[in-house]
Amino acid sequence: MIAVGRVVRTLGHLAVAVLPGARVGDGVRIHRASGDAVGGRVAALERMGAVVMPFGSLAGVAVGDRVVTDVDAQACVLGYGALGRSMAAGGEPLDGKPPLAGVKSRGAPTAKLEERRAASTPFWTGVRVIDGLLTIGAGARIGLFGAPGAGKTTLLDMIARGARADAVVVGLVGERGREAARWLSPVGARTTVVCATADRSPAERVRAAEVAMAQSVTLRDRGLNVLLILDSLARYASALREIRSGAGEPVGRGGYPPSVFAELAAYVETAGNTARGTLTMIATVLSDGGDEREPLSDAARASLDGHIVLSTEAARAGRFPAIDPLASVSRTMADVVTGAHARAAATVRAALARLADTRDLRSLGMADAADPLLSAAVAAEPEIRRFLEQRDLTAPAETMERLASLAANLAAGDD
């Protein structure tokens, strides 16, 4: 049933319309007096009417403008037709090419619990420290935590190029224009980029994340192994906060309305595996090290299958990728690696832990010289650093060979 109404007022980036029969989640179009229209979605209902979050600017919208529910307001071209293309949150092309061709879709539904499949195979990224010590299971949801300047964007670019995936979807949510331009041109044949930069409305930023996920799910359900890169989960949550606060929802911890965390968990849970294909998600989360003061970091860690932490200290020292293996964890690694791989990774991590624990003592010349593991770790430290640091992509077979060799050297020195 189509509902028809009128705009009665605006609330920042939101519009309120008298729209009898409207339901939360309905797609709508606001028809300006100029003749054009802006699509949107009913975000909430109140006594005055329906709160609409538009997928575009409200400039030119006036009281009395016609509002009509429209299922196609949330539809755009998804699937194979969007591969090799970059687009805005509403599906408009950003690459200077003709409009995307194909059947429009509102996105695939979230897989039911009984349709889910656990991670059973590794997802190779081409980054040695990840593939060797923090192996990701295909279908895992991973957070990339780091402060500004720690190298998140460079690492994501490396993963996008090296990932053993059939398709890569990149969702740029609230990104700076300069950084977005690096992703938008050129776009590889297996890649889709969905972008809403920082100057776009919060509804557009949320929509960009949703379209990126919808494209990923559509490709997964067509039998592909898909990687979704979201930059960033924090800016997605911030956009949700703006919308929910503007709609009148009271705020809670950290200034976030409670529904934001529920929506964040639902978004993350959409990724994963089914019998048809896999969907692995790597999402950045801005972190300054004060996670105990930041509920978003806590919520993200609780929802994700692992986290990769970037070290500001390593980044300042020019070590790339600046990943801290000891602060990072992959909860799917044990399910997807061989016993030999797991043992080799444990040996290297133990050596890293001993080096970290004794760093101050060694600088003062007070370390226990009779500690065989420490002696082996110190002797192998240059080799460990060469394994952790890289500039070029590494094939999985080479990573496993180097990891096994490093672990064997550490074990021999520990005897």
Side-chain angles (χ1 to χ4, degrees):
M1 178 180 176
I2 297 177
V4 180
R6 301 285 175 179
V7 173
V8 294
R9 62 183 177 124
T10 60
L11 292 168
H13 294 290
L14 304 175
V16 179
V18 174
L19 196 59
R23 300 165 298 180
V24 172
D26 280 350
V28 301
R29 294 194 188 278
I30 302 174
H31 295 267
R32 300 184 181 97
S34 59
D36 61 343
V38 57
R41 181 168 65 226
V42 176
L45 299 174
E46 59 174 32
R47 275 181 259 177
M48 291 267 317
V51 179
V52 176
M53 63 175 204
F55 304 144
S57 173
L58 283 175
V61 171
V63 171
D65 281 351
R66 190 166 175 260
V67 181
V68 180
T69 57
D70 184 349
V71 294
D72 289 333
Q74 302 184 77
C76 58
V77 175
L78 299 174
Y80 298 125
L83 290 176
R85 303 296 303 271
S86 59
M87 58 182 175
E92 305 86 359
L94 293 175
D95 49 15
K97 298 178 181 179
L100 279 70
V103 178
K104 288 189 174 183
S105 170
R106 283 172 286 156
T110 302
K112 298 178 181 178
L113 183 60
E114 60 270 22
E115 297 175 340
R116 297 284 179 158
R117 297 293 184 272
S120 58
T121 57
F123 181 85
W124 303 116
T125 66
V127 181
R128 284 194 298 270
V129 63
I130 297 177
D131 293 347
L133 303 182
L134 302 165
T135 313
I136 299 171
R141 290 69 59 96
I142 303 296
L144 184 58
F145 291 75
K152 293 189 296 295
T153 301
T154 305
L155 179 56
L156 285 179
D157 176 69
M158 194 173 190
I159 292 172
R161 289 185 290 111
R164 296 292 180 95
D166 300 318
V168 178
V169 180
V170 180
L172 303 177
V173 180
E175 184 62 274
R176 298 183 300 275
R178 178 179 61 84
E179 296 291 344
R182 297 175 56 184
W183 289 102
L184 295 176
S185 179
V187 176
R190 68 168 183 169
T191 303
T192 300
V193 178
V194 186
C195 178
T197 50
D199 60 331
R200 310 310 296 177
S201 71
E204 288 179 86
R205 283 176 264 147
V206 168
R207 183 61 179 160
E210 293 174 344
V211 171
M213 180 62 80
Q215 167 69 351
S216 302
V217 171
T218 299
L219 293 173
R220 178 193 66 187
D221 289 350
R222 292 182 182 178
L224 302 187
N225 297 317
V226 184
L227 168 64
L228 168 61
I229 293 176
L230 185 72
D231 191 11
S232 74
L233 201 63
R235 291 193 293 265
Y236 169 64
S238 295
L240 285 172
R241 174 172 59 184
E242 291 183 58
I243 293 170
R244 296 307 172 196
S245 298
E249 184 176 341
V251 299
R253 288 185 59 206
Y256 288 93
S259 66
V260 170
F261 299 110
E263 292 186 61
L264 190 69
Y267 184 86
V268 170
E269 191 63 25
T270 305
N273 300 336
T274 67
R276 295 179 293 278
T278 69
L279 171 47
T280 307
M281 183 175 79
I282 298 179
T284 63
V285 182
L286 184 66
S287 172
D288 61 0
D291 291 346
E292 70 278 4
R293 300 187 302 272
E294 177 49 71
L296 178 60
S297 292
D298 292 339
R301 289 176 189 270
S303 301
L304 296 166
D305 296 314
H307 49 271
I308 297 171
V309 178
L310 298 182
S311 165
T312 303
E313 179 184 357
R316 289 173 179 168
R319 299 197 296 269
F320 180 84
I323 295 173
D324 183 348
L326 298 179
S328 307
V329 65
S330 170
R331 298 189 181 101
T332 56
M333 180 173 178
D335 299 324
V336 300
V337 301
T338 64
H341 181 172
R343 289 189 294 273
T347 299
V348 175
R349 289 178 69 94
L352 283 169
R354 189 60 60 91
L355 289 172
D357 291 342
T358 61
R359 181 169 55 179
D360 292 340
L361 289 175
R362 286 185 290 117
S363 68
L364 297 172
M366 299 172 61
D368 184 2
D371 183 342
L373 176 57
L374 177 58
S375 299
V378 170
E381 188 169 12
E383 186 181 357
I384 294 174
R385 293 301 173 196
R386 286 193 295 271
F387 180 83
L388 297 180
E389 299 170 22
Q390 71 180 100
R391 294 291 174 179
D392 299 320
L393 295 167
T394 303
E398 181 183 344
T399 294
M400 294 302 103
E401 182 180 345
R402 293 183 61 167
L403 177 65
S405 175
L406 177 55
N409 290 342
L410 287 167
D414 190 23
D415 291 339

